[in-house]
Amino acid sequence: MPARITGIDMGEGHITAVQVMTGLTNYEISFCAKIPLENGDMEAGLDLLTDSIHPKSDRYFVSIPPSQVSFRNLEMPFEDAKKIRQTLPYELETLLPYPVEEIVTDFIATRPDNANEILSASIKTEAVSRYLKALDAHALDPELISVSGLSIIPWLLKQGAPDHFLLMNLEEKTMTLFL
C-alpha cells in the first residue's frame, strides 16, 4: 500500500522538508521545500511548511542541528546494549557541562566487531521538548528524531565507503564534520 513519508530538517536558520510517496519498488518525491526562519522563529516556519504540504504524511522523520547535540566516543566495559543504556548517563556525568538528569542520550556502536566502542549523542531534555512541542502544535508526530547529516552515514557505509572517511555537512552558517 502506498504511503507518504516526510523528512523534516530543523536547521539553524531554515526548515527543509522532503515528502516521498512509496510504491511497490520505488520512491517518488511529491513535495520539497526550504523555508527560511525569520529570527529563528520555528513556529512561523512550521506554519508555512504545514500550509504547503498536502496531503499530510503517514510517517514523519525529523532531524535537529548538530549544534544542539553533544557527542562523545566512549569505550564501555561490556557490549550488551541494555547495560550500556543503563550505565551511559553515569559514564557521561563528568564529560558534559550539564547534569545528566537534564539530558536525553542515545548511542550507536562504532565498530561492528566491537559493540562496546560507542558514539553517544546527548541533548538537553528542554531542547527536545521545545522541538516536540512545536511539531505537536502542527500535528507533526515524528517517528524518529535524529541529527542533521547523520543519516547519510549508514547509507555511505552500505555503498562500500572506505573504513576512514570525512563527510562535511555544509550549512549557510555552520559546518559539521563526520569522521
Side-chain angles (χ1 to χ4, degrees):
M1 180 174 161
R4 284 186 174 80
I5 302 170
T6 300
I8 302 170
D9 180 34
M10 308 289 287
E12 298 274 348
H14 62 275
I15 295 174
T16 305
V18 175
Q19 184 183 67
V20 296
M21 280 288 296
T22 63
L24 292 176
T25 59
N26 62 350
Y27 295 92
E28 182 179 318
I29 296 175
S30 58
F31 172 83
C32 64
K34 183 172 185 177
I35 299 166
L37 298 180
E38 297 294 325
N39 300 318
D41 188 353
M42 183 172 32
E43 296 286 339
L46 286 170
D47 285 340
L48 287 171
L49 175 64
T50 54
D51 288 345
S52 303
I53 293 179
H54 182 76
K56 298 289 184 194
S57 288
D58 303 307
R59 300 168 72 188
Y60 294 94
F61 297 90
V62 173
S63 63
I64 58 175
S67 62
Q68 299 284 314
V69 182
S70 177
F71 298 96
R72 297 291 187 269
N73 286 307
L74 297 167
E75 190 168 333
M76 301 299 283
F78 31 74
E79 295 185 12
D80 180 58
K82 185 177 178 183
K83 286 183 182 178
I84 292 174
R85 198 166 309 287
Q86 289 173 339
T87 60
L88 186 57
Y90 305 106
E91 293 288 331
L92 292 170
E93 198 164 25
T94 60
L95 303 173
L96 296 175
Y98 30 81
V100 294
E101 296 81 24
E102 296 177 11
I103 64 168
V104 175
T105 191
D106 203 358
F107 71 94
I108 58 171
T110 56
R111 292 181 40 183
D113 61 331
N114 193 356
N116 69 325
E117 290 186 21
I118 64 166
L119 172 66
S120 72
S122 304
I123 181 171
K124 291 191 84 169
T125 306
E126 166 191 317
V128 174
S129 295
R130 189 171 14 100
Y131 284 110
L132 289 174
K133 183 178 177 185
L135 292 164
D136 186 53
H138 294 85
L140 302 170
D141 183 18
E143 197 169 304
L144 174 77
I145 296 179
S146 186
V147 179
S148 296
L150 190 61
S151 61
I152 198 165
I153 301 296
W155 180 84
L156 279 173
L157 293 172
K158 287 179 186 173
Q159 304 306 311
D163 289 342
H164 305 285
F165 62 91
L166 167 68
L167 173 68
M168 295 180 358
N169 184 25
L170 302 173
E171 297 285 339
E172 293 159 6
K173 297 180 180 179
T174 62
M175 176 179 64
T176 306
L177 300 175
F178 297 95
L179 301 171

